[in-house]
Amino acid sequence: MSSDRQYAVASLLFDYVKSPSLRHLRDPHSVHKIARDIVNAVDRAGSIWSKWEAEREEVARAAAPCWIPTKDLLATLNNLPGPLLTKTDVEQRLRAIWEEPYTSYPNEDLKEGCLALYVAEKAQGTEMRAIIGMLQEHLEREDERLRREQEERYRKLKEEERAKLEQRFLSGADCGWTSIDGSAGRMTTSRRASDPRAGPGKRRIVHPGRAGRFRLRRILNRSPSPPRAAATRSTPPPRRSPAASWRGRHCASAG
């Protein structure tokens, strides 16, 4: 434990035990209060942001992505317990929050909408903490909208790429695996010259079969290949019996 934090805790304990009443020292409310004061003192002593009490830190983190004007946020934070803050204190504390891991700077695309909502709520007399909560809900809805729009743009881009590949295939150009939507269902077609399973000018069409299986059919090119000539098979000579062979040899030797 550093000397600063140790001194801060010791000062609080010395002040606490000065009370002459044992009932006050043992009172649960008093014990919880001194425990809370000790925790806050330790947090302040161990942080480089010594002006930021727990309440100020909570409000600053909640307001960080909401595009609240710094002047108005400063006035709200100075109404909370703690030393007097300056405009630079607030700006740099927000910057430190934005640069923390898993956080980011406010979305510039949502600045105008947030400021319009803030001005309208402030004119109605809504307090700052309620405005911050309303802006957080607004940002959640806008983030979801932007996410859906991004997904839709990506889907349209992939669909345009698929249509271009289909047109390339139908025009007879060499291409890779291409999805084509036909009347018989979805088919996957290939005219890839480097594919060893597809010869030159051949197409491989995979049709969905039963139980999720697929059967492969090869279709030749539009110009049918000439039929192969049937191979002629020579008829072997008739086999002679052993007796006939012997008579033939005996007659030859007698002559």
Side-chain angles (χ1 to χ4, degrees):
M1 180 180 290
S2 64
S3 58
D4 292 339
R5 290 189 289 178
Q6 182 177 357
Y7 177 78
V9 173
S11 300
L12 291 173
L13 291 176
F14 280 132
D15 292 337
Y16 183 70
V17 298
K18 287 180 180 179
S19 175
S21 172
L22 291 177
R23 176 178 294 182
H24 172 263
L25 295 176
R26 296 173 180 175
D27 181 58
H29 177 74
S30 300
V31 173
H32 284 292
K33 183 177 181 302
I34 186 62
R36 184 170 59 253
D37 293 342
I38 290 174
V39 170
N40 292 336
V42 170
D43 291 341
R44 287 196 304 272
S47 173
I48 59 175
W49 303 97
S50 58
K51 290 184 177 182
W52 294 84
E53 305 284 344
E55 292 179 274
R56 283 180 170 178
E57 185 71 15
E58 178 186 358
V59 172
R61 288 186 175 276
C66 297
W67 291 106
I68 295 177
T70 306
K71 180 180 179 181
D72 296 348
L73 184 59
L74 172 63
T76 300
L77 293 173
N78 276 329
N79 289 331
L80 299 175
L84 183 65
L85 294 171
T86 65
K87 183 173 179 289
T88 304
D89 286 329
V90 177
E91 291 175 344
Q92 296 305 311
R93 186 68 191 106
L94 292 176
R95 180 174 175 233
I97 293 173
W98 294 331
E99 293 180 351
E100 289 180 355
Y102 309 107
T103 59
S104 59
Y105 280 79
N107 192 338
E108 288 283 348
D109 296 335
L110 305 178
K111 179 178 181 179
E112 184 176 352
C114 288
L115 289 177
L117 289 174
Y118 174 78
V119 171
E121 292 295 331
K122 182 181 178 182
Q124 296 177 11
T126 308
E127 63 178 358
M128 178 62 75
R129 194 62 185 91
I131 295 178
I132 293 175
M134 182 269 299
L135 290 177
Q136 286 178 325
E137 295 176 354
H138 170 72
L139 290 175
E140 291 175 0
R141 293 190 298 268
E142 289 299 299
D143 289 339
E144 180 64 19
R145 178 183 62 82
L146 293 176
R147 184 188 64 81
R148 290 196 302 267
E149 291 179 356
Q150 183 178 7
E151 291 178 353
E152 182 66 18
R153 287 194 299 268
Y154 178 78
R155 187 191 65 79
K156 289 182 178 180
L157 178 62
K158 299 301 292 184
E159 183 65 22
E160 292 175 358
E161 292 177 354
R162 188 202 64 78
K164 290 179 181 179
L165 287 175
E166 181 177 341
Q167 291 297 324
R168 179 180 175 85
F169 172 79
L170 295 177
S171 65
D174 187 22
C175 59
W177 287 96
T178 307
S179 298
I180 300 177
D181 292 328
S183 59
R186 193 172 185 84
M187 299 184 297
T188 305
T189 313
S190 175
R191 287 174 58 90
R192 186 182 301 170
S194 60
D195 194 338
R197 296 174 294 177
K202 292 185 178 181
R203 301 180 183 179
R204 293 187 297 107
I205 302 180
V206 180
H207 298 276
R210 296 179 180 177
R213 299 179 180 177
F214 294 85
R215 56 189 176 87
L216 180 66
R217 177 186 300 174
R218 285 195 174 187
I219 302 178
L220 299 178
N221 51 9
R222 288 184 290 270
S223 58
S225 58
R228 294 186 300 176
T232 59
R233 186 176 181 180
S234 59
T235 305
R239 297 181 61 183
R240 302 177 63 185
S241 63
S245 299
W246 180 83
R247 285 196 300 270
R249 290 194 301 270
H250 180 70
C251 294
S253 61

